[in-house]
Amino acid sequence: KKTREALNFSVFKGREIDEELFEELEERLILADIGVKTSLQLIDELRKETKKRKLKTSDELLEVLKEKLKNLLSNYAGELRTENSPSVILVLGVNGVGKTTTIGKLAKQLKDKGKSVLLAAADTFRAAAIEQLEVWAERADVRIVKGSEGADPASVVFDAVQSLKARGEDILIVDTAGRLHNKDRLMKEIKKIKKVISREIPGEPSEILLVLDANTGQNAISQAKAFKEITDVTGIVLTKLDGTAKGGIVVAIASELKIPIKYIGIGEKIEDLRPFNPEEFVEELFS
Amino acid sequence: MFDALAEKIQSAIGKIAKKGRIDEETLNKGLREIKLALLEADVNYKVVSDFIKDIKEKALGAKVTKGVTAVQQLVKIVHDELVKTLGEKAEPLNLKSKPSVILLIGLQGSGKTTTSAKLAKLLKKQGKKVLLTSVDIYRPAAMLQLKKLGEQISVPVFLEENEKDAAKIAEDALKKAKKEGYDVLIVDTAGRLHIDEEMLKEAKEIKERIHPDEVLFVSDAMTGQEAVNIAKAFDENVGMTGIVLTKLDSDARGGVALSVKGVTGKPIKFAGVGEKIDDFEPFYPDRVASRILGMGDVVSLVEKA
Ligand SMILES: Nc1nc2c(ncn2[C@@H]2O[C@H](COP(=O)(O)OP(=O)(O)OP(=O)(O)O)[C@@H](O)[C@H]2O)c(=O)[nH]1
Ligand SMILES: Nc1nc2c(ncn2[C@@H]2O[C@H](COP(=O)(O)OP(=O)(O)OP(=O)(O)O)[C@@H](O)[C@H]2O)c(=O)[nH]1
Ligand SMILES: [Mg+2]
Ligand SMILES: [Mg+2]
């Protein structure tokens, strides 16, 4: 059904290493949204490696680049920490990136692993956000705690935590409203939500996931910086990788901000969530 | 007075820039900084390359206005060229039929449903009788979302929640709009990927069944390099008459504007500048041009000189 438009990396096969090759590679990295700064840096390092290791062909050079990226990313790939019971996962991100959908998918996976999962509908702002999460709760067959539209999100979270503790359930996943990272008032709300959680369950949330849309360009760095500044982001979920966007911005984020990448979203269905695999991701970047 | 870009160019060029004309050496050094600035603003790589080529031809030998430096002059040339590419001024909606139909299309989460409500409110304020409909039969609570937004602005929303044929809902909505004397019907669609052939076919089918006056492609201002492929695929497979750029209230530089406009040639008509229904305005090319270049005062400085 879908025809993935290949970036056609085969044009780099069997060539000599020259200035033109470096330029084309640089273009390719930028086109994958790896970011100008990080791309220039990578190309710089490749130039040095070429000299040092006396590389001759483009194939050798490509392998070095791939290794570099794989190493970089594998340092920042991580699993979800949900050993604590109860544990709380707080999900954050700008508008429309896929937070609610990701929560539905994640709830299902955790439930299938035998955990009891509760969802908190703390997006009380966007029209029908609560009902959207309700549908996902039904699909994943997990419980949901909700407030009324316009209610204080922190109070919904408080209620959810009480409910979680009362029932002795394992994991609470908190859905929050989309918020732009440059809006102070909305960003501060996150602190309040987090405070409620850690006051009621010391040591939690054990995961604060930042959801990023793979279609996003350089702005994703600004997003990651701002969210990291306001709270301890523990991992990234990169959504919408089923499109043609390469999501290369996570390379820049891993190298600049050192935030681990935990999951990728590859569709709108409940099963379309995978653990992040650096090897595969890099191969995809170059497919 | 100097902003970041002009400063960068200045330091790249050094003292050469004192001359009265923009010579090739000045230009090449300056253009490299401009190229990087555009790439950092997420303008597509290929679009940047073409753009820089054009600029070079225009700028070479250009006379420098008295009272400004060659750097400022160069930035001004680039800015003006950006504005020109972006379309000089905001183009209004072109609504001719009665009822007129507006169809919104785009990727998942780009802001179609929100924009539908924003447009409805805008047109209502202009005295038009507006009907909203959603043909999103996929996303959980998508129809309810539009229904609630409609209630907020007191615009009726036509829904067929159990219908499984999106084009049929659109057609039924149009029938209602005709029968009840509405001026405008706004059709919100499901988010779809530009490589999902079946979903593109569905959009095309909806379009063919209701003959919209405007097909607006809704694009997120934070989009990166893929924007050109996305816009191109929607334009070729569904067709569009205009573009809406959403989430311009973010700190994204918005290079996507140049990419999308460049690749489709279609006018950018509106900008979404917030989550609230009133956060909506005509698209101002000059503002976005300055934003892409990450600059403020240079242009007005050159204009005043
Ligand atoms: N193709 C694709 N679509 C996705 C993916 N994840 C989410 N979506 C879609 O993206 C759109 C937005 O998803 P939501 O889960 O509502 O995003 P959100 O971040 O909760 O949005 P807000 O709450 O409005 O900020 C929906 O149409 C989803 O179906 C993915 O991995 N691939
Ligand atoms: N900050 C900001 N948020 C916006 C803007 N336009 C839309 N949004 C938000 O972006 C998110 C997605 O908007 P929707 O209107 O649901 O997007 P959609 O294209 O209909 O999404 P799907 O139907 O899932 O494809 C919501 O959280 C909106 O509130 C805007 O101009 N600025
Ligand atoms: Mg949501
Ligand atoms: Mg929608």
Side-chain angles (χ1 to χ4, degrees), chain A residues 20-281:
Chain A
E20 206 178 316
L21 183 73
F22 283 122
E23 266 168 36
E24 282 175 41
L25 264 177
E26 177 188 297
E27 170 178 350
R28 204 54 65 103
L29 293 175
I30 290 176
L31 278 171
D33 285 318
I34 284 179
V36 180
K37 201 170 131 204
T38 309
S39 299
L40 295 184
Q41 244 166 22
L42 281 167
I43 294 296
D44 232 32
E45 285 170 32
L46 283 184
R47 284 185 211 275
K48 285 187 193 130
E49 293 283 331
T50 304
K51 268 201 194 131
K52 204 170 87 195
R53 296 205 224 171
K54 301 196 168 43
L55 303 179
K56 288 272 169 325
T57 68
S58 57
D59 301 60
E60 289 170 331
L61 188 69
L62 265 190
E63 278 319 302
V64 174
L65 177 58
K66 276 189 191 175
E67 275 323 299
K68 255 186 189 320
L69 289 172
K70 282 177 189 170
N71 280 339
L72 172 70
L73 289 172
S74 60
N75 283 330
Y76 300 106
E79 304 222 322
L80 207 62
R81 287 169 305 187
T82 51
E83 308 80 36
N84 298 348
S85 183
S87 63
V88 181
I89 305 171
L90 180 58
V91 181
L92 307 172
V94 302
N95 308 82
V97 288
K99 295 174 291 299
T100 307
T101 308
T102 299
I103 290 170
K105 296 169 179 175
L106 193 56
K108 170 86 161 71
Q109 289 194 0
L110 293 169
K111 169 110 205 249
D112 287 350
K113 277 191 194 155
K115 306 266 189 188
S116 49
V117 179
L118 175 65
L119 305 185
D123 179 357
T124 58
F125 177 77
R126 214 210 62 214
I130 300 170
E131 289 84 352
Q132 184 189 1
L133 190 69
E134 263 182 314
V135 173
W136 281 109
E138 226 166 84
R139 287 181 183 172
D141 191 22
V142 302
R143 232 163 47 80
I144 178 171
V145 168
K146 56 184 183 180
S148 48
E149 224 170 286
D152 175 15
S155 81
V156 177
V157 172
F158 178 83
D159 291 347
V161 173
Q162 302 314 317
S163 179
L164 178 82
K165 290 202 282 193
R167 297 242 190 159
E169 286 160 326
D170 300 319
I171 298 172
L172 172 67
I173 313 179
V174 180
D175 187 21
T176 61
R179 70 194 75 229
L180 286 178
H181 52 293
N182 56 341
K183 298 197 172 165
D184 268 356
R185 191 182 54 79
L186 295 177
M187 291 300 278
K188 281 195 185 119
E189 197 182 83
I190 296 172
K191 286 196 163 173
K192 199 171 152 198
I193 293 175
K194 191 187 164 203
K195 211 161 108 192
V196 168
I197 298 169
S198 34
R199 192 184 62 212
E200 298 304 312
I201 311 175
E204 294 300 317
S206 43
E207 289 282 359
I208 301 178
L209 299 179
L210 175 65
V211 182
L212 296 177
D213 182 331
N215 292 300
T216 309
Q218 304 293 297
N219 194 252
I221 299 176
S222 176
Q223 292 172 24
K225 266 190 191 146
F227 277 99
K228 192 182 171 188
E229 226 160 72
I230 206 91
T231 192
D232 319 300
V233 175
T234 60
I236 282 169
V237 180
L238 186 63
T239 61
K240 308 187 194 175
L241 268 177
D242 47 328
T244 51
K246 297 287 172 187
I249 202 68
V250 298
V251 175
I253 290 173
S255 84
E256 277 185 46
L257 302 173
K258 322 222 174 300
I259 307 174
I261 303 141
K262 303 219 163 169
Y263 285 101
I264 59 169
I266 50 166
E268 298 184 81
K269 301 221 175 63
I270 199 159
E271 65 273 11
D272 294 334
L273 184 74
R274 302 262 186 288
F276 176 69
N277 179 331
E279 293 266 329
E280 278 175 24
F281 183 80

Side-chain angles (χ1 to χ4, degrees), chain A residues 95-96 126 180 183, chain B residues 107-114 118 136 139 145 191 246-247 249 272-275:
Chain A
N95 308 82
R126 214 210 62 214
L180 286 178
K183 298 197 172 165
Chain B
L107 288 186
Q108 288 92 346
S110 59
K112 297 172 294 300
T113 307
T114 310
K118 287 175 173 178
D136 185 349
R139 170 172 166 173
Q145 184 187 355
T246 61
K247 308 181 198 174
D249 49 322
V273 292
E275 294 177 76

Side-chain angles (χ1 to χ4, degrees), chain B residues 53-199:
Chain B
K53 230 187 273 157
D54 284 353
I55 290 291
K56 193 164 176 182
E57 279 169 24
K58 293 227 161 68
L60 202 57
K63 228 168 126 188
V64 177
T65 316
K66 240 183 155 178
V68 300
T69 65
V71 175
Q72 289 167 330
Q73 185 75 23
L74 180 57
V75 174
K76 166 87 164 84
I77 291 170
V78 175
H79 180 273
D80 289 353
E81 199 56 29
L82 274 181
V83 173
K84 212 172 110 197
T85 313
L86 287 172
E88 308 278 4
K89 60 181 194 322
E91 271 195 46
L93 288 172
N94 189 6
L95 303 177
K96 290 227 175 81
S97 331
K98 165 90 189 194
S100 319
V101 177
I102 305 174
L103 181 68
L104 289 99
I105 55 173
L107 288 186
Q108 288 92 346
S110 59
K112 297 172 294 300
T113 307
T114 310
T115 303
S116 301
K118 287 175 173 178
L119 269 172
K121 174 140 190 219
L122 183 84
L123 292 167
K124 190 187 162 193
K125 264 202 269 179
Q126 296 172 2
K128 298 224 156 87
K129 191 177 167 194
V130 184
L131 181 66
L132 278 162
T133 190
S134 164
V135 302
D136 185 349
I137 54 178
Y138 309 98
R139 170 172 166 173
M143 291 187 177
L144 185 64
Q145 184 187 355
L146 190 70
K147 189 172 160 192
K148 291 195 169 200
L149 292 173
E151 276 163 17
Q152 278 180 33
I153 54 173
S154 307
V155 169
V157 181
F158 174 82
L159 294 178
E160 286 181 343
E161 273 154 298
N162 296 317
E163 176 59 57
K164 288 282 162 265
D165 178 353
K168 167 89 169 29
I169 304 174
E171 232 171 30
D172 290 348
L174 182 56
K175 267 186 214 146
K176 180 185 162 80
K178 274 187 184 149
K179 209 172 84 197
E180 299 178 14
Y182 281 93
D183 299 313
V184 186
L185 169 68
I186 300 173
V187 183
D188 176 27
T189 63
R192 64 200 74 224
L193 287 176
H194 58 296
I195 49 168
D196 189 334
E197 284 172 15
E198 240 162 64
M199 287 297 283

